[in-house]
Amino acid sequence: TRNGIRGQEPVRRNPAIADLYQPGSTFKIVGYGAAFDRGLADPSTEIDCQMGQYALDGFVLKDHHPYGRLTARVAFAKSSNIGAYLVARPLNKDLFHDYVRQFGFGAKTGIELNGENAGRLIAPERWSATSFSSQVMGYEIAVTPMQMAMACSVVANGGLLRAPTVVRGVKKDEPGAELVKAAMPAPRRVLGEKAANQVMQCMIEPMGEHGTGTKGDVPGYSVAGKTGTARKHVENVGYVDGCYVASFMGFLPAENPRLLGLV
């Protein structure tokens, strides 16, 4: 239950499936995964991050720190917005949007819980000049935490999207009835195994000494993870200064995942 807003009664709901947020940099797995899948880049591809200010497409992109030439892997670890955009840029907006949908965004996951939200996507024909770069960085898109965790699991599952489930089984209301698990949708391939492995290698990098995710490291395990920091967006107001959604997602062991989480 969330506290009531402005004196209203609190609303009982499950934030993991009902609440929308703009994910920020955790969403970069989509652009990286799509570019790797199409052979347009790989973790060792060199990118010129323009010392923190990119203005070659008619708009300005900035990074929190000035970076020059970085490999895609290091740009991911440093969470360079310019680097993420330049990796995804050759996809073109329609192909990128197609991958966003393939990762499961804009649709309910189908988990057996009430009140699930499908999230919000903007059709490419309604994009502004900056929408492509914004979405690569996890803005101008609204997702649920469950959708984001499911998208992360695509990387953990070697490129396959598996529907989440919380029900072990159902049995008839009669003595001796067996617990029966309903058939789950077949896993759907989103990324090739090689591309998923390349994204996983990129996700190991932020956990290292010079990455953004060092606090998410777990002693004794190899962890693949990604941090996200997004300015909060308020309906009919816009982005609010000084208010952020900070998140971390990851899985372990990185090479043979058994546990995945989003905080």
Side-chain angles (χ1 to χ4, degrees):
T1 302
R2 291 292 182 89
N3 291 333
I5 300 171
R6 299 187 191 93
Q8 296 175 9
E9 284 295 308
V11 178
R12 190 176 293 276
R13 65 185 189 276
N14 184 344
I17 60 165
D19 286 10
L20 298 181
Y21 73 111
Q22 299 198 28
S25 291
T26 53
F27 200 74
K28 289 174 181 173
I29 62 168
V30 177
Y32 272 81
F36 292 168
D37 196 45
R38 292 288 166 148
L40 300 170
D42 62 51
S44 62
T45 299
E46 278 211 345
I47 304 154
D48 184 358
C49 295
Q50 304 278 321
M51 296 310 291
Q53 185 131 328
Y54 177 89
L56 301 181
D57 285 335
F59 54 86
V60 177
L61 275 182
K62 294 183 179 180
D63 275 334
H64 291 295
H65 301 283
Y67 300 118
R69 296 192 73 83
L70 300 176
T71 62
R73 180 189 279 111
V74 174
F76 189 91
K78 302 286 188 187
S79 209
S80 164
N81 291 332
I82 294 169
Y85 172 59
L86 292 180
V87 166
R89 187 172 176 264
L91 288 163
N92 78 50
K93 65 181 186 179
D94 292 304
L95 187 53
F96 172 73
H97 182 75
D98 185 55
Y99 272 95
V100 171
R101 286 196 166 279
Q102 287 293 317
F103 267 87
F105 297 104
K108 295 178 181 181
T109 68
I111 196 166
E112 309 95 337
L113 295 167
N114 292 329
E116 185 175 16
N117 200 319
R120 290 185 205 150
L121 299 183
I122 304 170
E125 56 269 21
R126 292 174 47 218
W127 286 10
S128 70
T130 58
S131 291
F132 188 3
S133 61
S134 293
Q135 289 194 27
V136 167
M137 297 181 291
Y139 285 96
E140 287 193 33
I141 181 167
V143 309
T144 66
M146 183 60 70
Q147 286 176 325
M148 200 65 238
M150 186 174 73
C152 184
S153 79
V154 168
V155 179
N157 285 325
L160 292 172
L161 185 146
R162 298 178 184 274
T165 179
V166 292
V167 174
R168 185 177 173 189
V170 177
K171 63 181 177 180
K172 293 179 181 177
D173 186 14
E174 57 188 46
E178 293 289 323
L179 197 64
V180 179
K181 176 68 175 175
M184 294 294 293
R188 175 165 55 79
R189 182 154 295 284
V190 177
L191 300 177
E193 200 167 345
K194 179 182 177 182
N197 186 61
Q198 288 174 328
V199 179
M200 184 267 287
Q201 293 296 331
C202 288
M203 291 179 71
I204 291 174
E205 203 75 20
M207 313 311 297
E209 187 181 349
H210 303 295
T212 58
T214 52
K215 289 183 179 179
D217 204 19
V218 180
Y221 291 91
S222 58
V223 179
K226 183 73 190 82
T227 56
T229 308
R231 289 173 64 192
K232 282 189 178 178
H233 187 272
V234 177
E235 207 75 41
N236 301 320
V237 175
Y239 293 102
V240 182
D241 286 334
C243 294
Y244 299 90
V245 176
S247 62
F248 172 82
M249 69 181 188
F251 53 84
L252 59 78
E255 293 83 4
N256 183 28
R258 303 296 296 158
L259 179 68
L260 181 147
L262 171 72
V263 183

